[in-house]
Amino acid sequence: SQQGEEDPQALSIQEGENATMNCSYKTSINNLQWYRQNSGRGLVHLILIRSNEREKHSGRLRVTLDTSKKSSSLLITASRAADTASYFCATAQGKFQFGAGTQVVVTP
Amino acid sequence: GAGVSQSPSNKVTEKGKDVELRCDPISGHTALYWYRQSLGQGLEFLIYFQGNSAPDKSGLPSDRFSAERTGGSVSTLTIQRTQQEDSAVYLCASSLAPPGTGYGNQPQHFGDGTRLSIL
């Protein structure tokens, strides 16, 4: 099974609402990264959080990391239609592995 | 500056033919990665290059798959005797990765992929 697994698989919200998705992983990690993928495009790096960090912010994004629970969450605040995409977490410990992603749909 | 460039963007070929997929990484990025993404799925790691060598090619599905990188820059992924199950989007990424630091410790920059369809 994959190292990083996102939850939920799909999320549908309205503009202005917050979107939260979670990532669980199995082994110890050096860092955890979140990426966004728009339909038909490559992945775009959003944020990297190191194993000794607990929270990180970038614009409307907030990422938390709980190494004791082997989990991370990505919060998108005040969502916009342009946030419609798939979001993936990726973990780095020796091998770099992606989860299956959370598909987020933001409706106007 | 220029991002990661992949060509062709789309490739349709008949079962049994060989295909070559090309990746031009960001200039100066020593690390290069190939992934495969099936419809609606996550990314499956194929191979990692540091410079021209491939420390990790454990993700290549079979000996029909091979990859090379020349001049520490352009990489080619070759699939021989293609099968229908090879149909997928093949993504390339590059990153800064000073030797000895290990990969996965820097953000990866992705191309838009090659959509491969085997008839």
Side-chain angles (χ1 to χ4, degrees):
Chain A
S1 61
Q2 292 176 321
Q3 164 76 320
E5 297 192 5
E6 293 88 347
D7 170 61
Q9 291 185 334
L11 184 58
S12 184
I13 57 174
Q14 293 193 318
E15 270 191 327
E17 294 181 338
N18 295 341
T20 300
M21 59 210 85
N22 304 296
C23 170
S24 60
Y25 57 92
K26 294 180 171 62
T27 64
S28 61
I29 58 172
N30 293 330
N31 68 70
L32 186 144
Q33 302 181 31
W34 285 92
Y35 288 79
R36 183 188 74 231
Q37 184 179 34
N38 291 94
S39 181
R41 304 298 300 275
L43 279 71
V44 174
H45 180 261
L46 295 176
I47 200 164
L48 181 154
I49 186 165
R50 301 195 186 282
S51 59
N52 61 353
E53 297 176 309
R54 292 296 168 258
E55 186 171 315
K56 206 160 182 181
H57 296 254
S58 177
R60 293 183 296 111
L61 305 179
R62 172 176 166 255
V63 169
T64 62
L65 179 64
D66 187 335
T67 52
S68 66
K69 295 181 180 178
K70 294 188 169 55
S71 68
S72 173
S73 67
L74 170 66
L75 168 67
I76 306 172
T77 60
S79 62
R80 306 166 181 169
D83 295 328
T84 294
S86 292
Y87 293 81
F88 296 88
C89 67
T91 53
Q93 176 62 332
K95 204 172 281 289
F96 198 65
Q97 298 187 47
F98 285 85
T102 293
Q103 190 170 4
V104 176
V105 175
V106 182
T107 54
Chain B
V4 176
S5 177
Q6 291 188 246
S7 61
S9 54
N10 285 282
K11 177 73 176 178
V12 181
T13 192
E14 293 179 347
K15 176 182 170 183
K17 301 285 189 184
D18 297 350
V19 294
E20 278 191 359
L21 312 180
R22 177 188 168 104
C23 174
D24 271 287
I26 292 173
S27 177
H29 280 192
T30 56
L32 185 147
Y33 317 79
W34 283 98
Y35 297 92
R36 180 167 69 175
Q37 186 176 32
S38 300
L39 187 64
Q41 300 296 310
L43 274 68
E44 176 188 3
F45 167 81
L46 297 178
I47 187 170
Y48 154 65
F49 285 93
Q50 174 64 275
N52 290 336
S53 63
D56 188 353
K57 43 185 154 182
S58 62
L60 294 177
S62 73
D63 59 7
R64 296 187 296 106
F65 288 72
S66 62
E68 66 174 12
R69 188 178 185 195
T70 55
S73 182
V74 172
S75 177
T76 302
L77 176 68
T78 301
I79 309 173
Q80 296 179 311
R81 304 181 304 280
T82 52
Q83 303 292 314
Q84 287 187 330
E85 61 262 28
D86 299 334
S87 296
V89 176
Y90 289 81
L91 291 162
C92 174
S94 70
S95 73
L96 292 168
T101 63
Y103 67 95
N105 293 318
Q106 297 287 337
Q108 297 189 11
H109 301 261
F110 282 80
D112 284 337
T114 293
R115 185 175 301 275
L116 177 64
S117 299
I118 311 298
L119 302 178

